[in-house]
Each structure stands twice: as C-alpha cells, then as structure tokens.
Amino acid sequence: MVAERVGASEGTVYLVAKRFTESHGNVDDVIGRRKRATPPVPAKVTGDVEARVIALACTKPPAGFDRWSLRLLEKHVLLTDGLPPLDHSTIGRTLKKGGFVLI
C-alpha cells in the first residue's frame, strides 16, 4: 500500500492524489505551498501608528505618575484620536521594535 511505503496516512495519500488529478498533473501545484495574496488580518501598527505611540511614550507622564507603564500607555492610546485600540503587549512590541525602552 502507498500510505505505508511513504509513511503517511491513507487520507493524506487520497488528498494528494485528488489534488494531483485536479491540477491536471502539475506536481508544483500539489506539493508547493501557496502564498496568500493578502495577510489574513491587516496590521494595526503601521509606520504612522508606531511613530505616534513612540512619541506618546516620550512625553511627560500624566500627573500622579513618575513614569509611563505599558498599561498606562494603553489607556492613553485609547484616548488619543487617530490611533487604533492597542493592548499593552502590542505597545510593548512596538516600543521594542523602535528601540525605545521605558525607564
């Protein structure tokens, strides 16, 4: 049996054979990976958003706070016009990517 010889399940062999038939014998269409035309979800953090988040983190923290924290930045991003809602982990990755460190 083919499945035993190649070390695959019968279902896998069936699906590969079916794709081979549907592609009219084109092996590259069967075993090659297809690249998506577009990402599954558009990125929230564009260059403009990244720059605005870093600029916000460079400002003086609000009254009553000695420094910015990721969660405090998250709250202020929600209040800033033109910025999509970002959670603290996304803000942290954005700052890290930009070489910015919260002190």
Side-chain angles (χ1 to χ4, degrees), residues 26-91:
N26 188 343
V27 176
D28 290 331
D29 287 347
V30 176
I31 62 172
R33 296 192 84 149
R34 290 179 292 222
K35 184 156 178 68
R36 288 180 184 248
T38 60
V41 177
K44 284 185 179 181
V45 181
T46 61
D48 179 54
V49 171
E50 181 179 342
R52 292 184 66 191
V53 168
I54 291 173
L56 178 62
C58 289
T59 63
K60 187 175 180 177
F65 295 93
D66 292 333
R67 62 181 182 85
W68 285 105
S69 68
L70 293 178
R71 295 199 188 262
L72 184 59
L73 281 168
E74 177 183 14
K75 290 177 186 175
H76 280 270
V77 163
L78 287 174
L79 301 174
T80 305
D81 291 332
L83 285 178
L86 303 172
D87 78 349
H88 63 278
S89 61
T90 303
I91 292 170

